[in-house]
């Protein structure tokens, strides 16, 4: 069976809703339009145009209820819309006033949650919406990269969790593939793969955090993903998906063949 891409995602705002895509552009070692914005705490030291850890941002790892926020990002107009259960919380251009209103709306929602990073931490307010909306900057590490998992690995983990409905959105990968055995992608470390016309170096497994415990629909921490990965699969660290470094620029598309080439 030939391995193929079955889903593609980008994440315009760090830790918020993914955008399913039919194609993704790879440029500068990153996915175009991916993690171009982030809601950063007031007490962080980095300049607004610098990468920072998710622990210095409002993120799923510290505020699982963010999973309920739906977003729409207009690349051309540089406009961001945040909604909750179909009701618009904020719909703003990325000028100074719009950024402020987006931060206020998201902070008000986060403060209403039973679990979150803002309650009891006035030093983290006001939030700052950072990023120019164009440059992929707030990936898991400062070097960027692209993440990939297989549906077979997802099915294997779902079996261990006794939950056939485990959603791949928990893992925030850019690429989902089918046509390989469960966990086979972990054997690609140190090798190169070709997806469509783009080659990638597979550099490391993706070590997971508490963000994976958040249900993508309810925002509740409802599955022990981390301990299941380490105990059921005897992993030293909870690992799901791989991080890859693009070796060229180009387009990848749903349906593209995935081939280990080196």
């Amino acid at each position: 069976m030939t391995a193929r891409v079955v889903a593609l995602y980008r994440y315009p705002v760090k830790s918020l809703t993914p955008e399913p895509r039919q194609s993704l552009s790879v440029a500068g070692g990153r996915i175009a339009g991916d993690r171009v914005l982030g809601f950063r705490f007031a007490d962080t030291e980095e300049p607004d145009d610098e990468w920072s850890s998710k622990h210095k941002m409002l993120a799923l790892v510290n505020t699982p209820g963010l999973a309920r926020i739906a977003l729409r990002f207009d690349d051309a107009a540089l406009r961001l819309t945040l909604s909750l259960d179909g009701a618009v919380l904020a719909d703003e251009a990325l000028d100074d006033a719009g950024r402020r209103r987006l931060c206020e709306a998201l902070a008000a929602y986060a403060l209403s949650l039973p679990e979150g990073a803002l309650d009891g931490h006035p030093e983290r307010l006001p939030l700052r919406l950072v990023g120019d909306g164009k440059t992929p900057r707030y990936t898991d590490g400062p070097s960027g990269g692209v993440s990939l998992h297989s549906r077979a690995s997802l099915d294997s983990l779902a079996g261990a969790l006794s939950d056939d409905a485990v959603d791949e959105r928990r893992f925030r990968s850019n690429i989902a593939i089918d046509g390989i055995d469960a966990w086979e992608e972990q054997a690609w470390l140190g090798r190169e793969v070709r997806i469509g016309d783009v080659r990638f170096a597979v550099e490391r497994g993706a070590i997971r955090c508490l963000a994976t415990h958040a249900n993508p629909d309810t925002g509740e921490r409802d599955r022990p993903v981390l301990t299941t990965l380490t105990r059921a699969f005897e992993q030293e660290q909870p690992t799901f998906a791989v991080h890859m470094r693009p070796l060229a620029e180009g387009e990848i598309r749903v349906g593209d063949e995935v081939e280990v080439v080196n």
Side-chain angles (χ1 to χ4, degrees):
M1 183 176 179
T2 301
R4 294 193 181 277
V5 174
V6 290
L8 295 170
Y9 303 95
R10 71 173 191 178
Y11 305 82
V13 181
K14 180 72 172 178
S15 266
L16 292 189
T17 317
E19 287 184 342
R21 309 281 288 189
Q22 288 301 302
S23 66
L24 292 173
S25 296
V26 181
R30 302 168 189 246
I31 297 294
D34 190 51
R35 279 91 167 182
V36 297
L37 296 167
F39 286 90
R40 185 178 281 165
F41 298 142
D43 61 344
T44 59
E45 298 177 357
E46 294 88 354
D48 284 354
D49 61 351
E50 292 294 325
W51 179 88
S52 71
S53 164
K54 61 193 172 188
H55 299 290
K56 297 182 180 181
M57 292 187 172
L58 197 64
L60 284 170
V61 67
N62 52 49
T63 309
L66 291 178
R68 293 184 58 206
I69 296 291
L71 73 81
R72 184 174 69 252
F73 182 58
D74 186 328
D75 302 71
L78 291 180
R79 191 174 190 91
L80 178 64
T81 306
L82 304 178
S83 303
L84 176 67
D85 298 333
V88 174
L89 300 180
D91 177 15
E92 302 290 343
L94 297 184
D95 54 22
D96 289 345
R99 287 171 183 262
R100 183 177 65 254
R101 287 190 287 267
L102 287 159
C103 288
E104 290 170 350
L106 193 61
Y109 168 69
L111 285 166
S112 74
L113 298 171
E115 181 178 9
L118 298 182
D119 188 28
H121 290 281
E123 74 280 3
R124 293 176 174 172
L125 292 171
L127 295 174
R128 302 198 311 273
L129 178 56
V130 296
D132 60 10
K134 299 177 181 179
T135 308
R137 184 172 281 129
Y138 306 114
T139 48
D140 287 344
S143 61
V146 177
S147 53
L148 172 150
H149 72 258
S150 74
R151 291 270 175 89
S153 298
L154 181 70
D155 290 344
S156 177
L157 176 58
L161 289 165
S162 300
D163 181 2
D164 292 340
V166 170
D167 195 309
E168 67 189 4
R169 290 177 296 163
R170 287 180 186 260
F171 302 97
R172 307 187 67 74
S173 297
N174 296 118
I175 305 168
I177 68 171
D178 213 346
I180 65 172
D181 292 335
W183 310 107
E184 185 177 339
E185 63 269 35
Q186 299 299 327
W188 296 349
L189 302 188
R191 306 184 71 181
E192 294 180 11
V193 300
R194 179 183 58 80
I195 302 176
D197 296 324
V198 183
R199 288 172 68 125
F200 299 83
V202 184
E203 295 192 320
R204 66 188 190 279
I207 307 303
R208 310 318 306 200
C209 69
L210 274 175
T212 61
H213 285 209
N215 184 297
D217 295 316
T218 68
E220 297 177 351
R221 287 180 174 152
D222 63 355
R223 295 291 181 269
V225 171
L226 302 185
T227 53
T228 300
L229 286 169
T230 55
R231 294 173 183 174
F233 301 102
E234 299 182 347
Q235 296 179 352
E236 184 174 341
Q237 297 186 80
T239 303
F240 185 89
V242 293
H243 286 295
M244 309 186 299
R245 175 172 50 87
L247 300 176
E249 299 187 351
E251 293 280 324
I252 55 177
R253 299 172 178 84
V254 172
D256 277 350
E257 184 176 345
V258 180
E259 179 186 9
V260 178
V261 294
N262 190 335

